[in-house]
Amino acid sequence: MRARHALLLAALMIGLAVVAVSWAQSPPPVREITRIAGDVYRFRNANHYSIFAVTPAGVIATDPINADAARWLRAEITRQFNQPVRYLVYSHDHADHIGGGEVFADTAVVVAHDQAKAVIIGERRPTAVPQVTFSDRMTIELGGTVMELAYVGRNHSNNSIVMRFPRERLLFAVDFIPVNSYAFRSFPDAYMPDWIDSLRVVEAMDFDVLAPGHGPLGTKANVVMFREYLQDLRAEVTRHAREGKSVDEIKQLVTLPKYAAWGPKDWFPLNIEGMYRLVQANRLGN
Ligand SMILES: [Zn+2]
């Protein structure tokens, strides 16, 4: 029995060693910091992005992404700018953007929308709970830099906010204004037609550069085009649903060639599926 135990133990240790080696060999996510405008920078962690502003009185940071990313960002901000993070602002409650907020909690005031705080607590998001919340608008001023926070209505969540830097003419908006991209999969946690209304609110704001939470930087033209996409998609799906077509038939019928250059290609049929679900939820058929 003892020999058998020793054999089992050896097998277990070899197994653990294999796991450790394969873990160590998985490539680290691409992380980088690039300057956008003035003293506002973009932080990349693989496919996720946030922004931060450096001022003589400290740093205003936004989505920490996750705990590992946040630790890297904190170390880089200290190394490159030698300033503490004084504010940490969450774009919305989704864990893939705001995980790891606790990394900054010793120096920063954590800010989010009222409803984001409720969801962060309710869904036990792995991050610091916001200390300061707002319902409509809020302004943060630090070391001469102004960041205006605004709630623009429900869209990709019920608590997405935009962050505008008036001096830098820059707007940070996450997940509800993709730049030359379809919406994420089948519209999880989405509100329609509120989303379209919220894009009109953003279109009325004063900015030149749009910094999204994924993909390349954009401009206000990207906001307009994405709003038109949602309207076109909704109109087409509604028309076919009213004709009694099934979701599978509608996926064959809706093409929207105006947006054919967008990706990822496999998200378009999922967008149709999600829009069908949202349309049917607020429609009384015959
Ligand atoms: Zn999201």
Side-chain angles (χ1 to χ4, degrees):
M1 283 301 275
R2 269 195 192 149
R4 206 171 151 194
H5 278 158
L7 265 175
L8 274 173
L9 188 65
L12 185 67
M13 287 176 76
I14 289 165
L16 282 174
V18 167
V19 168
V21 166
S22 59
W23 200 357
Q25 281 173 347
S26 65
V30 176
R31 290 181 179 138
E32 57 190 8
I33 289 170
T34 51
R35 193 172 148 276
I36 307 176
D39 291 313
V40 180
Y41 295 81
R42 198 171 193 217
F43 163 49
R44 176 185 181 188
N45 184 78
N47 295 321
H48 286 73
Y49 295 83
S50 64
I51 62 164
F52 63 91
V54 180
T55 87
V59 171
I60 307 170
T62 62
D63 295 348
I65 314 292
N66 63 51
D68 281 347
R71 279 189 285 270
W72 183 89
L73 178 62
R74 182 181 171 134
E76 280 300 302
I77 287 174
T78 303
R79 189 179 69 79
Q80 295 187 34
F81 308 103
N82 196 28
Q83 289 285 357
V85 172
R86 291 296 182 204
Y87 290 95
L88 182 70
V89 188
Y90 297 154
S91 62
H92 64 309
D93 75 83
H94 293 163
D96 65 318
H97 289 272
I98 62 156
E102 69 280 1
V103 169
F104 298 103
D106 59 335
T107 60
V109 176
V110 183
V111 182
H113 188 263
D114 291 337
Q115 285 163 166
K117 180 176 179 176
V119 179
I120 287 164
I121 293 169
E123 299 283 353
R124 296 185 171 84
R125 299 292 192 226
T127 196
V129 172
Q131 296 140 316
V132 175
T133 63
F134 68 99
S135 61
D136 190 26
R137 267 160 214 283
M138 178 178 162
T139 299
I140 292 174
E141 195 169 352
L142 184 72
T145 293
V146 173
M147 181 202 234
E148 294 175 358
L149 317 182
Y151 179 61
V152 294
R154 302 191 299 181
N155 39 55
H156 157 89
S157 75
N158 70 353
N159 55 71
S160 304
I161 61 168
V162 297
M163 305 174 209
R164 191 175 79 94
F165 292 86
R167 186 179 60 196
E168 293 79 6
R169 303 189 56 77
L170 171 75
L171 187 96
F172 178 53
V174 174
D175 284 354
F176 77 99
I177 319 175
V179 172
N180 295 328
S181 162
Y182 296 111
F184 180 68
R185 298 183 181 276
S186 58
F187 292 103
D189 199 8
Y191 300 82
M192 207 67 71
D194 309 43
W195 193 327
I196 293 163
D197 299 336
S198 81
L199 293 169
R200 287 197 185 280
V201 175
V202 173
E203 285 170 45
M205 292 179 161
D206 196 17
F207 66 95
D208 295 327
V209 178
L210 170 69
H214 301 275
L217 296 174
T219 65
K220 193 177 286 184
N222 295 105
V223 186
V224 175
M225 195 169 180
F226 188 72
R227 191 250 306 154
E228 289 171 352
Y229 167 69
L230 289 185
Q231 288 176 312
D232 292 346
L233 181 65
R234 185 163 180 262
E236 281 292 276
V237 169
T238 302
R239 183 167 68 84
H240 290 302
R242 283 174 174 160
E243 287 170 1
K245 301 284 198 302
S246 72
V247 64
D248 288 329
E249 287 170 320
I250 295 173
K251 280 157 94 168
Q252 299 302 315
L253 291 166
V254 175
T255 54
L256 299 186
K258 186 179 161 189
Y259 314 99
W262 289 3
K265 294 293 171 215
D266 56 333
W267 285 6
F268 183 56
L270 293 172
N271 279 196
I272 295 170
E273 206 175 290
M275 186 61 85
Y276 179 81
R277 186 190 77 242
L278 293 164
V279 162
Q280 293 294 76
N282 289 290
R283 165 175 175 264
L284 187 63
N286 289 323

